[in-house]
Amino acid sequence: MTMPPLTLYLAAPRGFCAGVDRAIKIVEMALQKWGAPVYVRHEIVHNKFVVDALRDQGAVFVEELDECPDDRPVIFSAHGVPKAVPAEAARREMIYVDATCPLVSKVHIEAERHHENGLQIVMIGHAGHPETIGTMGQLPEGEVLLVETEADVATLDVRNPESLAFVTQTTLSVDDTKGIVAALQARFPAIVGPHKEDICYATTNRQESVKAIADKIDAMLVVGAPNSSNSRRLVEVAANNGCGYAQLVQRATDIDWRAIEGIRSIGITAGASAPEVLVNEVIDALRARYDVTVELVETAQENVEFKVPRVLRVPA
Ligand code: SF4
């Protein structure tokens, strides 16, 4: 039986970023150094496949520090944690390793610097996301106000419109954030912020590569988890840039074959916490049904690498 032809546009860069790579390495190296169990506060990165693999090696995932015993090491996830968390771990004399991505830590430092200069902070981010909770938790309550949309800017109740700064979550939509920043600048002309938003290189690059293919394809599959902010943004970016159907899939079994029936072209990308093995699984599932021709669409090259903390680089 001949299979229908399908052109598969494979976005690059896609998948793991340097912060995710480092966070996973931190858990693996901690297990090697201290043996199992090693506790991890929150999913180290938002991907079930990654979390399950680390759990098999002896990592224990918890949501709060009070679920960890004092005498086992604990790792804080790539998304960052409120200041109170490492402070509590230190008070309990626990061994802890912070896997917060250095690009998230950079935003924490920025927020602190503005606070020291007497500015109140506006954070552009998603309520309830661990990164937002972590960044807001760098400063005392009330010092960081959250806005999620342009509409939120209109109702923002600030202490002093002349003494404001903004920071952003690292995994937002570049285009949506521009609109929110413009609304903030229109309402508070004195507000200060980063030269570019705090959206990281990996988020920006993955969105750019999706934009480069979105209007050439009948459908887009984004490999990633439903709680992964940057993966969900990729689905939106595809839809907002001309792709008629975009779906987030955790793995091949999630593909809605009925929804993509009759397609001649498809795009594939992956969020920053999705491993390449899952991308290959999705491609294999397409190859089983279509005569696939792959075209790589590479819009940037990445060579960012972050070192793991020193405590893991020295022998026990
Ligand atoms: S998406 Fe960006 S900020 Fe988040 S872990 Fe990756 S590099 Fe760091």
Side-chain angles (χ1 to χ4, degrees):
M1 196 185 83
T2 51
M3 291 191 283
L6 180 72
T7 307
L8 189 162
Y9 293 94
L10 189 56
R14 64 179 176 279
F16 277 9
C17 60
V20 162
D21 209 40
R22 171 179 179 268
I24 295 168
K25 246 187 236 157
I26 286 175
V27 180
E28 289 172 343
M29 290 175 80
L31 283 162
Q32 271 166 23
K33 179 164 179 152
W34 291 298
V38 162
Y39 284 73
V40 184
R41 185 187 175 280
H42 195 70
E43 283 189 349
I44 185 74
V45 300
H46 284 156
N47 190 279
K48 185 176 161 353
F49 185 87
V50 171
V51 167
D52 287 348
L54 292 171
R55 194 179 281 123
D56 288 347
Q57 295 172 50
V60 178
F61 291 88
V62 297
E63 275 313 304
E64 290 304 336
L65 203 57
D66 57 18
E67 297 165 61
C68 310
D70 290 352
D71 60 353
R72 292 306 306 165
V74 60
I75 294 164
F76 305 141
S77 78
H79 314 95
V81 285
K83 260 202 172 146
V85 175
E88 174 61 7
R91 191 195 64 75
R92 286 170 57 188
E93 298 182 0
M94 299 170 80
I95 297 175
Y96 66 89
V97 186
D98 191 353
T100 302
C101 175
L103 300 181
V104 174
S105 301
K106 184 175 138 253
V107 181
H108 292 179
I109 293 165
E110 237 170 68
E112 273 196 271
R113 189 170 42 82
H114 291 313
H115 177 63
E116 282 161 16
N117 291 336
L119 305 181
Q120 192 178 23
I121 319 293
V122 178
M123 173 159 195
I124 306 172
H126 297 294
H129 189 279
E131 184 183 329
T132 303
I133 295 170
T135 301
M136 294 181 77
Q138 299 305 304
L139 297 178
E141 190 130 4
E143 288 302 315
V144 187
L145 304 171
L146 181 68
V147 295
E148 294 188 86
T149 61
E150 284 185 46
D152 289 346
V153 174
T155 55
L156 205 56
D157 186 12
V158 304
R159 197 166 47 221
N160 176 358
E162 299 301 316
S163 301
L164 283 179
F166 75 87
V167 297
T168 79
Q169 197 178 321
T170 56
T171 51
L172 301 178
S173 149
V174 173
D175 296 333
D176 294 352
T177 307
K178 275 193 190 119
I180 302 174
V181 170
L184 280 171
Q185 287 166 335
R187 185 162 171 221
F188 308 111
I191 197 165
V192 296
H195 291 304
K196 245 173 112 255
E197 304 87 34
D198 300 301
I199 297 170
C200 76
Y201 80 96
T203 299
T204 309
N205 288 347
R206 279 149 194 69
Q207 289 180 16
E208 279 306 311
S209 65
V210 165
K211 280 187 197 169
I213 54 180
D215 66 354
K216 305 194 222 261
I217 49 177
D218 298 326
M220 177 96 204
L221 297 179
V222 177
V223 182
N227 58 346
S228 160
S229 171
N230 79 87
S231 304
R232 289 173 53 182
R233 300 296 82 77
L234 293 174
V235 174
E236 293 167 7
V237 168
N240 292 341
N241 286 275
C243 174
Y245 178 82
Q247 193 198 347
L248 184 67
V249 292
Q250 301 211 60
R251 52 193 316 166
T253 45
D254 290 346
I255 300 171
D256 184 346
W257 295 106
R258 221 185 269 172
I260 60 173
E261 208 178 335
I263 55 163
R264 306 296 297 263
S265 58
I266 195 163
I268 294 193
T269 188
S273 45
E276 188 66 5
V277 60
L278 297 181
V279 173
N280 289 333
E281 186 186 280
V282 167
I283 295 174
D284 287 346
L286 289 164
R287 283 193 198 282
R289 291 166 183 250
Y290 293 93
D291 180 13
V292 174
T293 308
V294 177
E295 286 203 21
L296 184 72
V297 180
E298 187 172 52
T299 49
Q301 290 200 335
E302 293 179 348
N303 51 13
V304 181
E305 217 178 299
F306 297 129
K307 275 190 191 160
V308 298
R310 207 180 119 67
V311 64
L312 293 171
R313 286 184 268 134
V314 293

